Amino acid sequence: MGRKKRKKRGFPVGILVDFDEQIIHIWKIFSESVKIYRTMPLKRKWKNASEKDYYHYFEDLLDLLRPPIENGLRSILLVSPRDKDWSEAFLSHITKHHRWLINSRGPNQAFFGNISGSAHKLSSIAYLLEKEDTKKVLKDLISQEGYFLIKQLEKTINIENPNYTVLYGLKEIEERVYEGGKKDDSVSEEIDYLLLTDQFLENHPQKNRIYRLKQIAKNKGINTKVIPEESTAGDRISQFGGILCFKAIKY
């Protein structure tokens, strides 16, 4: 019997949060698949929950979302049943208690979209992600995130400070990222982001070389992001040859 072919996962695209009656499912969305990330059982059903329960539910949910956000996965799709307002309540909680997370001038901004539906199992997610309105919301989120990254890039370009440089060209980036060996993560003090377009990744004749770079960069604490080339952000990255890395200005 032949060896079963492993399904391609693709590159990370965003996070999907599904609000159900007494559980929250968190999924990672990849370009070619979806994978469960966390499940969060609730002490009480939403209809029996107090305002204090809501507060703790949302704080616990943010604790689960914080690691992927800090690792650069900032497009977050919220899903609730059509007649429920749990997603809206979560967004209101963020606005009231965590304004920094949606502050357009902040360095840690995340991007939230809201749709109606069900996403508690893979079959329902597959159906949901094929709907045109879902595709539009997700595309808008990815575009907002891309715009945020390009704003960070342009700040680095315009500051004209030798400590904040933009590296482009695969060989030059590899030399900097691999510096010190696999266990030396000091390069993350000099580089915050490694950005490349999906077409650069897809069409490069040495894909394993690119995947190795992405993995080592991630292991060293560098936020790595694949951007659709057809987007405004992807077009800007293409002007650098399809791949670049830089340190963001923190102000």
Side-chain angles (χ1 to χ4, degrees), residues 64-77:
L64 293 178
L65 292 176
R66 191 168 282 111
I69 290 175
E70 289 176 350
N71 286 327
L73 207 54
R74 301 170 184 268
S75 296
I76 302 172
L77 185 63

Side-chain angles (χ1 to χ4, degrees), residues 75-176:
S75 296
I76 302 172
L77 185 63
L78 307 176
V79 183
S80 292
R82 189 171 300 278
D83 58 343
K84 305 298 182 182
D85 64 352
W86 303 325
S87 296
E88 290 87 345
F90 178 54
L91 288 174
S92 295
H93 178 87
I94 290 173
T95 301
K96 184 175 181 179
H97 300 285
H98 300 275
R99 188 75 187 178
W100 58 270
L101 195 56
I102 54 175
N103 185 351
S104 62
R105 295 188 178 184
N108 300 308
Q109 185 181 5
F111 307 90
F112 295 89
N114 187 9
I115 61 171
S116 298
S118 173
H120 57 277
K121 55 185 180 179
L122 282 172
S123 58
S124 56
I125 292 177
Y127 170 75
L128 193 66
L129 293 178
E130 283 300 313
K131 294 178 66 176
E132 288 304 317
D133 56 343
T134 305
K135 289 180 179 179
K136 183 180 184 305
V137 172
L138 193 55
K139 184 177 180 180
D140 288 345
L141 287 176
I142 295 169
S143 294
Q144 290 178 56
E145 185 179 357
Y147 178 66
F148 165 82
L149 292 170
I150 295 306
K151 281 202 305 182
Q152 300 294 309
L153 171 64
E154 299 298 347
K155 287 179 182 178
T156 298
I157 292 172
N158 294 329
I159 197 172
E160 295 182 353
N161 184 323
N163 295 320
Y164 292 86
T165 59
V166 177
L167 300 177
Y168 54 94
L170 181 56
K171 185 177 179 180
E172 183 180 10
I173 292 173
E174 284 176 326
E175 288 176 354
R176 181 62 63 87

Side-chain angles (χ1 to χ4, degrees), residues 177-185 212 216 219-220:
V177 171
Y178 295 160
E179 201 171 81
K182 292 181 179 180
K183 295 184 178 181
D184 184 355
D185 60 1
R212 179 174 183 266
I216 291 178
N219 293 345
K220 290 191 172 192

Side-chain angles (χ1 to χ4, degrees), residues 212-231:
R212 179 174 183 266
L213 173 63
K214 284 173 75 264
Q215 188 59 55
I216 291 178
K218 181 180 177 181
N219 293 345
K220 290 191 172 192
I222 299 170
N223 287 325
T224 303
K225 194 75 178 175
V226 179
I227 306 291
E229 189 173 276
E230 64 181 15
S231 66

Side-chain angles (χ1 to χ4, degrees), residues 179-197:
E179 201 171 81
K182 292 181 179 180
K183 295 184 178 181
D184 184 355
D185 60 1
S186 60
V187 68
S188 63
E189 298 175 7
E190 303 171 6
I191 299 172
D192 289 317
Y193 292 103
L194 170 65
L195 307 181
L196 59 155
T197 68

